[in-house]
């Protein structure tokens, strides 16, 4: 894997018809955030080879909104990514990264945010960048990391809702 993209699902409804958190759909804001995230990633030339998507409704809907801008040869829905902790997300990405250059993971906080912080620390990022990552990773945001031949990450950018790149 040469590049890892971590995309947090878009804004979701507080409740689902079933009463289960797993089934919460996106709000109209969440659908817009997800569409914009896909378009912004595509505009920057980030095209995934594999998409790993949490099985939760809000993550599936996020991918459905982003996917038209990010044609991806392989999409894997994985219930293990639902509210997964950082090591589980990293393991899943690394496993598919053996056969793919660019992997996108569509998932949830706090696991995605924790993984971002871990990757920044591992990649010796600036302390202010690590502090910013610890402060929050909002819905519809994407963090991009380059991965070198030794598996070491290097921060490549943060795309916030509204098209802001940091």
């Amino acid at each position: 894997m040469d590049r890892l993209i971590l995309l947090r699902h878009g804004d979701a409804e507080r409740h689902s018809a079933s009463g289960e958190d797993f089934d919460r759909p996106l709000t109209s804001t969440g659908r817009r955030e997800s569409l914009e995230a896909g378009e912004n990633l595509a505009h920057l030339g980030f095209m995934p080879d594999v998409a790993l998507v949490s099985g939760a409704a809000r993550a599936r809907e996020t991918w459905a909104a982003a996917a038209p801008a990010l044609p991806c040869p392989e999409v894997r829905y994985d219930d293990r990514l639902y509210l997964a902790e950082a090591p589980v997300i990293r393991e899943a990405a690394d496993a598919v990264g053996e056969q793919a250059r660019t992997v996108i993971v569509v998932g949830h906080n706090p696991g995605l945010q924790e993984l971002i912080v871990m990757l920044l620390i591992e990649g010796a990022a600036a302390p202010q960048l690590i502090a910013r990552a610890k402060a929050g990773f909002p819905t519809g945001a994407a963090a991009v990391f380059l991965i070198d031949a030794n598996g070491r990450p290097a921060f490549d950018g943060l795309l916030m809702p509204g098209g802001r790149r940091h």
Side-chain angles (χ1 to χ4, degrees):
M1 169 172 52
D2 297 331
R3 179 173 284 127
L4 174 61
I5 303 167
L6 302 172
L7 174 61
R8 185 171 176 205
H9 64 77
D11 183 62
E13 296 288 348
R14 296 247 180 246
H15 304 284
S16 68
S18 71
E20 297 295 325
D21 180 72
F22 189 84
D23 298 328
R24 291 189 306 136
L26 293 180
T27 63
S28 59
T29 298
R31 287 187 293 279
R32 186 180 70 250
E33 289 172 341
S34 302
L35 172 65
E36 288 175 5
E39 290 173 344
N40 290 331
L41 288 165
H43 176 74
L44 293 168
F46 300 142
M47 293 295 169
D49 301 303
V50 177
L52 296 177
V53 182
S54 162
R58 58 193 178 274
R60 291 190 324 265
E61 289 181 18
T62 294
W63 178 248
L70 299 169
C72 185
E74 184 176 355
V75 179
R76 297 182 189 181
Y77 297 96
D78 189 340
D79 289 350
R80 293 175 300 156
L81 295 174
Y82 170 63
L83 302 180
E85 294 181 0
V88 173
I89 300 167
R90 177 113 187 238
E91 181 180 300
D94 286 345
V96 299
E98 293 176 8
Q99 298 90 27
R101 293 185 53 152
T102 300
V103 176
I104 187 169
V105 177
V106 182
H108 313 267
N109 270 3
L112 284 180
Q113 183 176 353
E114 292 167 356
L115 180 55
I116 291 165
V117 171
M118 287 173 45
L119 293 171
L120 289 170
I121 292 169
E122 186 180 327
Q128 62 268 30
L129 187 56
I130 295 168
R132 178 177 169 87
K134 287 180 177 180
F137 187 59
T139 58
V144 182
F145 291 87
L146 297 174
I147 310 295
D148 72 15
N150 296 317
R152 184 175 169 141
F155 180 69
D156 193 36
L158 176 65
L159 291 109
M160 301 297 275
R164 298 179 313 276
R165 182 168 190 209
H166 301 274

